[in-house]
């Protein structure tokens, strides 16, 4: 039996992911296009400005990744256009690899701006 509501939700999620990828200045595939949007790093959080007037995407990152991003001055950003199924492929890296194999990934490279907070008083 076909679940049309589930299909419509999947299509809507894919459109939303495409809008985010496009807003970040990413391009189809696994290339190294330069992202035109601003990316900020601060205290273990990456903030991606994808062109929405009042929203930004925040991602918490681990210390080693954060230090590497600051050191290289480059961040590779990838967006899988198809949503992760609830019952399979729950690991983000596995989902990205599967989406890449299906040609459902947009990517690019951004140069982050680092925001460092001063001493707290």
């Amino acid at each position: 039996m076909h679940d049309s509501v589930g299909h419509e939700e999947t299509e809507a999620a894919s459109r939303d992911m495409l809008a985010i990828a496009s807003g970040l200045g990413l391009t189809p595939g696994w290339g190294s296009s330069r992202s035109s949007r601003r990316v900020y790093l601060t205290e273990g959080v990456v903030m991606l400005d994808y062109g929405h007037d009042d929203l930004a995407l925040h991602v918490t990152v681990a210390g080693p990744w954060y230090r590497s991003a600051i050191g290289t001055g480059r961040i590779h950003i990838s967006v899988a256009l198809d949503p992760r199924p609830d019952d399979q492929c729950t690991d983000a890296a596995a989902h990205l690899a599967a989406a890449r194999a299906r040609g459902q990934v947009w990517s690019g490279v951004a140069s982050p701006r680092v925001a460092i907070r001063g001493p707290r008083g």
Side-chain angles (χ1 to χ4, degrees):
M1 179 162 71
H2 178 68
D3 182 358
S4 61
V5 174
H7 180 71
E8 289 173 5
E9 290 173 356
T10 297
E11 286 182 359
S14 293
R15 282 192 305 272
D16 290 346
M17 296 309 293
L18 180 58
I20 289 172
S22 179
L24 287 169
L26 307 180
T27 57
W30 195 259
S32 60
S33 66
R34 299 298 292 179
S35 173
S36 63
R37 295 289 179 191
R38 290 180 297 254
V39 177
Y40 296 97
L41 295 175
T42 181
E43 297 184 21
V45 174
V46 178
M47 186 192 82
L48 302 169
D49 173 0
Y50 60 96
H52 196 281
D53 290 338
D54 57 354
L55 294 175
L57 180 63
H58 293 78
V59 180
T60 303
V61 294
W65 184 94
Y66 181 79
R67 287 188 294 279
S68 175
I70 290 172
T72 64
R74 294 170 46 107
I75 297 174
H76 183 99
I77 303 168
S78 295
V79 173
L81 301 184
D82 47 354
R84 288 193 309 189
D86 292 333
D87 61 343
Q88 54 182 305
C89 203
T90 58
D91 176 71
H95 174 66
L96 184 61
R100 183 178 175 195
R102 290 188 303 276
Q104 293 296 308
V105 172
W106 281 37
S107 65
V109 176
S111 298
R113 296 182 184 194
V114 180
I116 301 174
R117 274 194 192 166
R120 295 180 183 171

